[in-house]
Amino acid sequence: MAPRHGRNFLLNLVGNLAPLAAALLAVPLLLELAGVERLGVLALIWTVTGYLSLLDLGLGRVFVRRFARADTAADLQREAALLRRVCLGAGLLALGTGALLALALPFAHWLGPDSALAPELPAAVWAVALTLPAVIVTSLLRGALEGRMRFGASNALKLVFGALTFLAPALAALVTPSLGAMAAGIAVVRVLGLLAHVHQAAPMLWPAAWSTARAGAGELGPALREGGWITVTNVVSPLMVSFDRFAVGALVSLAAVSHYSVPQEAVLKLLLVPLALATALYPVLARGEAADPAGSAARRRLGARSMDSVVSVALPLALGMALVAEPALALWLGRDFAAQAATPAAVLAVGMLAMSVAQVPYAALQARGRADLTGKLHLIELPLFAVAVWWLTERLGIAGTAVAWALRSVGDLAAVLWLAMREQLLPPAGAATMRIGAAVALAAAAAALRAADGPAWALLALLVPSALLAAAAARAAWRSRGAGELA
């Protein structure tokens, strides 16, 4: 990986992880100052905000690609005009949605009319709902910043305001532990975050003084179609994450949901590493696509090199989960919990490895503007995954649920690799693909040994070929750095 791509990867990784660190500090303080019921409402507010971020209609991702491809001043002015238009429309849509949400007061029935929090709820919901446009427009502006490779500014803002999303309500609770005050803290952070993003993106929003450039009449339609397919992926992917938990609760027990969801959450957090790489890679591939639509050997080598980089990091993480999941969970949550959760953790690690590598071909396909392929793939996967989860959970319990999740991830990797190779975005099946297959096989062997309660020496023996394979992948990525590098 070229030094500048490595730097962007590290910036993205810090930007993704810093808010998690802030949450670890803020949540215990909120629990102590505001109580478990208010913390529960705040958790619901954060969750609903996460889902409603879909109101950007996938256009944040679209603008990464479009701004990356803008080579001339005229191109940049045209994209800026389209971005201004979309920000206005998406902001109004978010404002209307937020107002409807506040008017409905969806949490009131859940709390019950006799709840002590009922009087605090309206102010909290209104404060958060009416600043929803700030969340959506901020997402769009971040896409423009990333498209112009301004990852330093983008991640500095993500770090500061992502952390403040958790810290601000905790600071407000120090003054008064009311929902209204804590939600007002979140609202202030959103508005300040929007202003900071506008300030950073101003040279792109208005690339020339008194610019009168306007988006062409035919520009909005293609952007909305591309964003629509990205939205399909953004909707279906969380469904495939949450459906299995509901299936466990329905077919096994509520206690089993905890035994399954805790290791799954750990796996999902580990995915922040490849996601940081894919975010750094995406505008590079989009810019290369604009310069050479027919495809170039340099762009294919960049994809292969990126997959090798992911394998070198994700394989040790997957083997590590199989080896240390039980003692780590025992230390954290007790031996009984660890005995139930260790096998699902090892199996889910196989899926984590596959999903990590899949981020690279996904980025390559969407950089070409083929978000329709990834969206259709997820629509095909959803019913197949639902059937597999139900069937395997009934027969094998939460270990079967984890197997279904891992099989879906491995199948998804195979499909998206084939699509990217068909589009000539990755090299034909060769050494890099063989390393991916070997890595998945080693992770699967570790999971099988863990499930069969195999001897510790057998699991430890897998470390040798795994270390050799990870080293080979890292060496391949390092040796090919700079070869035919994309701008």
Side-chain angles (χ1 to χ4, degrees), residues 262-289:
V262 167
Q264 189 185 48
E265 282 297 326
V267 162
L268 294 175
K269 294 298 183 287
L270 289 175
L271 283 172
L272 291 175
V273 177
L275 283 172
L277 174 62
T279 301
L281 185 65
Y282 184 57
V284 179
L285 292 172
R287 186 171 296 180
E289 180 68 34

Side-chain angles (χ1 to χ4, degrees), residues 18-353:
L20 295 178
L24 290 175
L25 293 173
V27 168
L29 186 59
L30 284 166
L31 182 61
E32 180 181 349
L33 295 173
V36 66
E37 194 172 11
R38 287 188 179 89
L39 179 59
V41 175
L42 279 180
L44 287 174
I45 287 174
W46 287 322
T47 300
V48 169
T49 300
Y51 279 111
L52 291 180
S53 64
L54 294 172
L55 290 173
D56 81 340
L57 305 178
L59 291 169
R61 182 81 163 173
V62 171
F63 279 115
V64 178
R65 187 178 74 84
R66 295 183 70 102
F67 271 80
R69 291 165 60 97
D71 287 333
T72 67
D75 290 339
L76 187 58
Q77 288 190 23
R78 185 175 64 251
E79 298 302 338
L82 181 60
L83 177 59
R84 293 194 299 267
R85 182 179 175 187
V86 167
C87 283
L88 177 61
L92 291 174
L93 174 63
L95 182 63
T97 303
L100 289 174
L101 182 68
L103 288 170
L105 287 178
F107 303 134
H109 296 300
W110 172 73
L111 287 170
D114 298 328
S115 171
L117 296 186
E120 302 177 22
L121 192 64
V125 175
W126 276 105
V128 174
L130 292 182
T131 53
L132 184 59
V135 177
I136 303 306
V137 175
T138 296
S139 173
L140 296 169
L141 297 179
R142 185 180 296 119
L145 289 171
E146 292 178 356
R148 301 309 291 175
M149 305 289 286
R150 295 190 57 191
F151 286 105
S154 173
N155 283 288
L157 295 175
K158 187 189 297 185
L159 187 155
V160 171
F161 293 102
L164 285 176
T165 297
F166 297 101
L167 296 176
L171 294 173
L174 288 171
V175 180
T176 172
S178 72
L179 278 175
M182 292 187 290
I186 295 174
V188 169
V189 170
R190 288 180 174 183
V191 173
L192 292 177
L194 172 62
L195 294 176
H197 279 80
V198 169
H199 174 73
Q200 288 293 329
M204 292 178 290
L205 285 171
W206 296 279
W210 302 102
S211 173
T212 58
R214 295 185 178 182
E219 295 288 335
L220 184 59
L224 286 173
R225 283 192 294 273
E226 183 180 349
W229 282 113
I230 292 173
T231 301
V232 168
T233 291
N234 291 341
V235 169
V236 172
S237 291
L239 284 177
M240 287 192 280
V241 170
S242 57
F243 172 79
D244 49 0
R245 300 183 187 186
F246 285 104
V248 169
L251 298 173
V252 187
S253 68
L254 290 177
V257 176
S258 297
H259 297 143
Y260 179 78
S261 62
V262 167
Q264 189 185 48
E265 282 297 326
V267 162
L268 294 175
K269 294 298 183 287
L270 289 175
L271 283 172
L272 291 175
V273 177
L275 283 172
L277 174 62
T279 301
L281 185 65
Y282 184 57
V284 179
L285 292 172
R287 186 171 296 180
E289 180 68 34
D292 182 14
S296 68
R299 193 159 74 252
R300 290 192 289 272
R301 282 195 298 269
L302 177 59
R305 186 161 66 253
S306 299
M307 291 191 298
D308 274 323
S309 298
V310 173
V311 167
S312 69
V313 173
L315 178 58
L317 291 176
L319 266 292
M321 283 195 71
L323 283 169
V324 307
E326 186 165 11
L329 288 168
L331 183 64
W332 183 29
L333 298 170
R335 289 185 178 277
D336 291 341
F337 190 98
Q340 299 293 326
T343 293
V347 177
L348 289 167
V350 181
M352 180 275 293
L353 172 62

